[in-house]
Amino acid sequence: MLDRAERRGKSHAMDGITLRDLEPGDAGWVAMRHGELYWRDEGYDIRFEALVLGILSDFVSNRKDGERAWIAVDDAGTRLGCVFATLPEPGDAKLRMFLVEPAARGTGLAQFLLDTLIAHARRLGAKRVVLWTHESHRAAGRLYARNGFHLLDETPVVAFGQPTLEQNWELPL
């Protein structure tokens, strides 16, 4: 586990935005905003929010050394985005629950969150960063491709009430 100082440590992402670890209320916000935004933007049903809740529950209850959460907040404490790094297998860091609030999109926050996660994975000695997403998240796919991720595979599925393509991406480190 991270020591208290490292968990409380803050790093400035950009003017007026700070990245911090999970605090009380953040897990509920992460699940709620994933549920709301993916319903609005993708038509995903409540099962998507349930998936996020399960991932969060496991993360909070079983967090391993080196696993991290970054919550982006502005000077007023308003949450603007998040990304999580888990360690599912030796040598792998996995990007999870990446979200940027609509009002903060186009500001560079998504790139900063991704850069922060990749730098953390490198510090841990991970050999690659992996992630699972859906083809309908086109802006995220473009961000991953610009940053050297490679699309490993696509599988047609019906997920959360919508036809889509599941995608697995990898960034060799």
Side-chain angles (χ1 to χ4, degrees):
M1 279 304 221
L2 300 174
D3 65 30
R4 186 178 183 94
E6 189 176 0
R7 282 181 181 247
R8 302 292 304 171
K10 296 181 179 183
S11 60
H12 288 280
M14 55 190 64
D15 289 341
I17 298 176
T18 301
L19 300 184
R20 62 166 172 75
D21 203 337
L22 282 174
E23 293 182 358
D26 288 339
W29 172 81
V30 169
M32 178 187 76
R33 292 308 286 156
H34 273 82
E36 291 172 345
L37 292 172
Y38 283 83
W39 167 258
R40 184 192 80 184
D41 298 341
E42 310 282 337
Y44 286 5
D45 62 26
I46 192 71
R47 291 174 288 182
F48 185 72
E49 191 170 347
L51 171 73
V52 174
L53 284 164
I55 295 167
L56 282 162
S57 177
D58 185 59
F59 182 86
V60 171
S61 298
N62 303 304
R63 189 173 183 175
K64 300 176 200 169
D65 286 341
E67 293 188 330
R68 292 293 309 269
W70 293 275
I71 306 295
V73 296
D74 66 14
D75 290 337
T78 303
R79 297 173 187 102
L80 300 174
C82 61
V83 69
F84 291 68
T86 62
L87 304 170
E89 297 178 27
D92 286 355
K94 187 170 189 176
L95 181 151
R96 307 296 311 257
M97 298 176 289
F98 191 11
L99 180 135
V100 174
E101 285 287 350
R105 293 176 186 167
T107 66
L109 178 57
Q111 184 66 59
F112 187 83
L113 285 164
L114 184 59
D115 289 346
T116 299
L117 184 140
I118 292 168
H120 177 72
R122 284 191 171 115
R123 280 192 303 277
L124 291 176
K127 299 199 182 330
R128 66 184 187 152
V129 176
V130 297
L131 66 94
W132 167 82
T133 190
H134 291 111
E135 181 273 335
S136 58
H137 307 149
R138 289 178 187 89
R142 288 189 300 272
L143 176 68
Y144 302 140
R146 276 195 315 270
N147 284 276
F149 282 80
H150 306 285
L151 180 61
L152 298 175
D153 58 59
E154 291 184 312
T155 305
V157 297
V158 175
F160 317 109
Q162 298 298 317
T164 188
L165 293 172
E166 285 186 345
Q167 295 180 331
N168 288 292
W169 292 75
E170 170 189 71
L171 173 67
L173 297 178

